Amino acid sequence: EVQVVESGGGLVQPGGSLRLSCVASGFTISTYWMSWVRQAPGKGLEWVANIKQDGSEKYYVDSVKGRFTISRDSAKNSLYLQMNSLRLEDTAVYYCVREGRYMDYWGQGTLVTVSS
Amino acid sequence: QSALTQPASMSGSPGQSITISCSGTNSDIGSYNYVSWYQQYPGKAPKLMIYDVNKRPSGVSNRFSGSKSGNTASLTISGLQAEDEADYYCCSYAGSSSWVFGGGTKLTVL
């Protein structure tokens, strides 16, 4: 069974850092693009970043460029999102998603709250 | 990267059909046939309902269908059922390996 499970969310002050993790099972992440998608409380979905199968290409939404870094560890079948210089507007549930021509498998999400 | 435009809310009675629109631009919907739709219940993860404009994943009811014309995509739900009450999001490939979502439509089954 295909599954992705996120962890690492929590409460952080503005300007702080947090690292999200996502462990995949039932498939090998090195054969798929992987994405992070977020959803602010009561708001819609927003694509945040993605990474190519071999990690050679990474793309970000403009609002997180220079602050967030997506990475993967094939040996651990895991995806990561390093978030630095966090802002109030980064508060959201962050989903780890398997990506193809569409996003077919989503984790349950991990909540990141940026607040003083 | 501007969000795709969806109606904020729609409603319908059981048995009726409804169509949710998703308006984009020549840079996203108008240029690619990589439009997908997601259903989301409160507190739950989104679920893929339609991909590649009009294809249904295995297990999704054939009451759900998708289409596209120009810069606008649509999701039609026929024979509305109470369980269809949820939020629906469209998504399109936007080039340069990026994606854009719609703002979401809250569907109420009266």
Side-chain angles (χ1 to χ4, degrees):
Chain A
E1 180 191 6
V2 172
Q3 268 193 320
V4 291
V5 179
E6 306 93 338
S7 61
L11 175 63
V12 61
Q13 292 187 338
S17 298
L18 212 54
R19 187 194 194 210
L20 305 183
S21 300
C22 166
V23 178
S25 58
F27 72 100
T28 303
I29 68 166
S30 59
T31 59
Y32 288 89
W33 281 78
M34 296 293 294
S35 271
W36 288 97
V37 175
R38 68 184 178 183
Q39 186 170 34
K43 301 297 184 182
L45 301 170
E46 179 183 39
W47 172 78
V48 174
N50 62 4
I51 185 168
K52 194 177 179 180
Q53 291 92 327
D54 61 0
S56 62
E57 296 180 32
K58 305 174 184 181
Y59 299 91
Y60 302 89
V61 68
D62 287 347
S63 59
V64 309
K65 284 179 182 176
R67 300 189 299 122
F68 290 12
T69 302
I70 189 172
S71 62
R72 65 200 304 157
D73 183 334
S74 296
K76 295 182 178 179
N77 215 32
S78 294
L79 179 73
Y80 305 99
L81 187 67
Q82 177 67 43
M83 304 185 295
N84 299 330
S85 303
L86 282 162
R87 304 169 179 169
L88 297 177
E89 56 265 34
D90 295 320
T91 293
V93 173
Y94 285 73
Y95 294 101
C96 170
V97 187
R98 191 176 83 169
E99 177 193 320
R101 301 189 309 279
Y102 43 85
M103 301 185 186
D104 58 354
Y105 286 96
W106 299 62
Q108 84 288 349
T110 186
L111 176 62
V112 173
T113 303
V114 184
S115 175
S116 55
Chain B
Q1 294 152 324
S2 299
L4 307 174
T5 301
Q6 297 181 233
S9 63
M10 296 188 70
S11 63
S13 299
Q16 286 186 329
S17 292
I18 64 102
T19 296
I20 300 173
S21 63
C22 172
S23 178
T25 68
N26 288 331
S27 298
D28 38 64
I29 293 177
S31 291
Y32 307 99
N33 286 324
Y34 298 149
V35 177
S36 49
W37 289 87
Y38 302 85
Q39 177 191 63
Q40 186 181 36
Y41 293 115
K44 301 296 186 181
K47 174 188 175 184
L48 177 68
M49 303 300 285
I50 294 288
Y51 67 95
D52 291 355
V53 177
N54 56 15
K55 296 180 174 61
R56 274 189 315 276
S58 174
V60 172
S61 171
N62 58 9
R63 297 186 298 105
F64 292 83
S65 61
S67 62
K68 188 186 92 166
S69 178
N71 296 340
T72 300
S74 299
L75 172 72
T76 297
I77 309 174
S78 58
L80 266 180
Q81 299 180 1
E83 67 202 49
D84 299 332
E85 185 163 297
D87 295 327
Y88 291 86
Y89 294 90
C90 59
C91 178
S92 175
Y93 182 67
S96 301
S97 299
S98 69
W99 299 86
V100 61
F101 284 91
T105 297
K106 182 178 181 62
L107 175 62
T108 300
V109 180
L110 302 171

